[in-house]
Amino acid sequence: MGARRGRGLVAGSCLALALLGGGSVAHATGDSTGESTPAADAGAQATATARPTGDGVRPVASPVPPSPVVPVDEGSAVDPAAVQAAVADELENPWLGGRVSVTVRDALTGEHLMDAAPDRETTPASLTKLLTAAAIVTVLPMEETFDTTVVGGVGQQADDIYLVSGGDMLLDRGHGDPDAVVGRAGLADLAEQVARARGPEAPPVTLHVDAGYGAGELAAPGWSDYWLAEGYTGPITMLGLGEDRAFVYHPAPRNPTQVTAAAFAEALEDAGVPVEGDADDQVPKTSAPEDAELLATVSSAPAGEVLTLALADSDNAMVEQLARQAAIRAGIGVEREDINQWVIDQVAGYGIDVSGVRLSDTSGLSDGTTIPARVVGDVLVAGTSGEHPELERVLGDLPIAGYTGTLHDRFLADRQEPARGVARAKTGSLPGVTSLGGTVVTRDDRLLVYVIIADRVDEPLILEARATTEDFVTELARCGC
């Protein structure tokens, strides 16, 4: 066969700093896999007006961010009665659907300032990812990278080469960008290393792909074909291209491993390494020989940066993939029920009472997951205690209200200006569910932790309910408590 023809928040000391009034340019992708739902898509570019006051919408981006920090570790202590009075109207708003679970804490002391059914077993949507992140950081070093390698056979199989997955689903088909998270490692770099290792006179290669690392289900059992087909999530893969991440109405390929292998075949051809077969041939999935020779390696961004991106974009597949890698590191394996239970056990390891927690997946997309607001609040407080630096780091990079991640297009009404830039949150959205959990700085420079989950919202009112949760956080920011 001839050669292949190429195809044309910050916690502890860090939480003493909070962004005020400015921020980075809005995240280009906006709400991702778990944060836009069919009921909300029609109004995804606007925040509902909770009270018809004619409030305007401010620009999202600040071309020259103002001074980004203000100390909050010595802010005035908060009066619980004042907090309860500040948010009373928002919690009584019928747009929330009448079933709400709330907790507000002092981030520095852990004191409960306000609770409303905090132990209710609610559907948290993507707030589930906060528990998963808390588990991941206990075993997966945040400075570690995920390596994609190419190995070659020996002896008579010397012209067989193997693209070996290593947990990077953000590869670039071209050259890697050392300053990027998506596309830190590039297939062109990998191919050029292979070309140098083999030399200019080497014969064509037969390409295989070894996808044995972390191999498991491509989708959680609760993920419907609709979620995948419409881009609310993509397959769980240990080898993928960053350009193929799923976003709403931009679905990921159903076989990202094969797409990546085909892209690598093209990169090899471009680097002067002929590949046996035709361009449309499937790249065979084959385990690399144990004695194979290492030919090339490229490394992803550090795990901490990848996890931060996964939370900022609420990328279901990426969170599931990282949870699987962490579970493998912990010796748990790749089975769904085992990983779910491992996450719960790791959260309990922080000293948190996990009563009422049931996980159907680790991203919050599947039906059947329940987490009380109290448990999410406990995770957030653990991340602001200064005792868990890796969790502190992750929570310190949650999206900023009005500026980044899944909050880039929220908190935009004029009445919500007090929260813009001083609140961080993980968002959660499912049909009939809206939730927020994060940190906010009060008018008196006190850092608070908050969680609000409404899981019986009338779907036609989901945007109004979302705006009400934003107003809840705004009142905390406005509070001179």
Side-chain angles (χ1 to χ4, degrees), residues 334-354:
V334 301
E335 296 301 319
R336 164 64 45 198
E337 292 183 0
D338 294 338
I339 296 174
N340 291 347
Q341 186 58 52
W342 174 77
V343 168
I344 295 172
D345 292 343
Q346 295 305 106
V347 172
Y350 285 88
I352 294 172
D353 178 2
V354 293

Side-chain angles (χ1 to χ4, degrees), residues 37 41 93 97 131 192 222 258-259 271 284 294 304 345 358 446:
T37 65
D41 287 340
N93 193 317
L131 275 66
E192 290 169 4
Q258 193 59 227
V259 170
L294 180 64
D345 292 343
R358 295 194 300 273
R446 193 72 169 190

Side-chain angles (χ1 to χ4, degrees), residues 90-111:
E90 282 66 34
L91 294 182
E92 293 174 0
N93 193 317
W95 285 341
L96 291 178
R99 184 179 142 95
V100 182
S101 183
V102 176
T103 188
V104 180
R105 316 278 182 82
D106 187 308
L108 302 183
T109 68
E111 178 187 1

